[in-house]
Amino acid sequence: MKIPEKAPEKKEIKTEQPTTVSDKVQETPVTKTSKPLSRPGMSSGFSINSFLNKEDKVEETENVTVRTENLPQNHFTDTDLQMEWKIMLKQLQVKNNFVFNAVKTFKLVKAEEHKIKVLFPSDSAKVEFDKISGEFFNHFKRKIQNHIIEVEYVRDVENLKIEVVTKRKMFEKFIEKNPLLKDLDDLMKFDLT
């Protein structure tokens, strides 16, 4: 068997034109850093190795006593306290609205000459108050120059509860003042939902 010979292929001759390279090549400087550009890895705060290798450490607490006998003990009024509390609430409303909403129902009352009662509605609100109480009482003590003020916390749910007033409740209060409104409601069938 004879294998047919391949026909000669036509070769196309391509003439490549050299690309024009500009004489002026801009060189950009490569800057190298000694530190990585990415952020360092964030730690979760819990390490298994440190938990397994945990040593019992004895924590020592220092008892710090502050002598208040040499500090000023000026008189202050309940009006002074209320004014400073309102100023603090206004600042909180702008600075931290969440804490403001938690502590706006608190009542601060001067109980005795050097004692302030803080009436609070709930424990969760007191936690938010504790965040700002140090700042407030330090400022108040410096302003009135009385550094022996004691603070007493009293939970008072009944008086500090914010009541949601619906249209029906408002209408019932008006009925107590004017019973003719009940007859009008029966006649007109007001929608107070």
Side-chain angles (χ1 to χ4, degrees):
M1 253 201 232
K2 194 173 183 185
I3 299 178
E5 292 182 24
K6 286 186 178 177
E9 294 180 6
K10 283 188 175 180
K11 291 186 179 178
E12 291 182 23
I13 300 173
K14 291 185 179 177
T15 57
E16 292 185 15
Q17 295 178 355
T19 57
T20 58
V21 177
S22 64
D23 293 337
K24 296 179 182 178
V25 177
Q26 293 180 349
E27 292 184 20
T28 56
V30 176
T31 57
K32 295 184 179 183
T33 62
S34 61
K35 295 180 182 177
L37 296 175
S38 65
R39 292 188 322 185
M42 301 298 287
S43 174
S44 67
F46 180 77
S47 171
I48 295 174
N49 287 333
S50 66
F51 181 74
L52 294 174
N53 300 328
K54 183 178 174 184
E55 295 179 11
D56 292 331
K57 295 180 182 178
V58 178
E59 293 184 19
E60 296 180 16
T61 58
E62 289 185 30
N63 291 332
V64 178
T65 57
V66 178
R67 295 190 172 192
T68 58
E69 50 207 38
N70 296 334
L71 296 175
Q73 303 175 9
N74 293 346
H75 173 74
F76 70 97
T77 64
D78 192 50
T79 308
D80 297 333
L81 179 65
Q82 298 307 323
M83 281 179 30
E84 287 301 316
W85 180 240
K86 286 179 184 176
I87 291 170
M88 179 68 163
L89 286 177
K90 286 180 183 176
Q91 290 173 351
L92 266 179
Q93 191 172 14
V94 173
K95 189 169 49 173
N96 191 343
N97 204 10
F98 180 75
V99 176
F100 167 75
N101 287 328
V103 301
K104 68 181 177 184
T105 59
F106 278 52
K107 300 285 185 220
L108 277 67
V109 179
K110 181 180 177 186
E112 296 173 14
E113 181 59 32
H114 300 291
K115 186 181 247 183
I116 296 175
K117 262 189 189 176
V118 178
L119 305 171
F120 64 96
S122 67
D123 291 330
S124 60
K126 185 181 180 302
V127 169
E128 295 301 320
F129 180 75
D130 288 341
K131 293 178 183 176
I132 61 156
S133 64
E135 178 186 344
F136 173 71
F137 287 120
N138 285 337
H139 168 73
F140 185 68
K141 287 176 182 180
R142 273 185 270 119
K143 181 153 187 169
I144 62 166
Q145 296 184 355
N146 186 338
H147 292 275
I148 62 168
I149 294 175
E150 296 176 10
V151 180
E152 178 184 349
Y153 292 94
V154 178
R155 187 170 182 174
D156 190 16
V157 180
E158 296 301 319
N159 294 332
L160 299 177
K161 186 169 44 172
I162 297 175
E163 183 179 349
V164 178
V165 180
T166 61
K167 291 180 183 179
R168 172 57 69 189
K169 286 184 180 181
M170 285 176 27
F171 191 72
E172 288 172 358
K173 287 183 181 180
F174 286 132
I175 288 175
E176 290 174 8
K177 293 179 182 178
N178 189 352
L180 291 175
L181 288 174
K182 176 73 174 143
D183 296 336
L184 184 63
D185 183 36
D186 292 340
L187 179 67
M188 301 296 280
K189 305 287 186 210
F190 292 132
D191 182 21
L192 300 171
T193 55

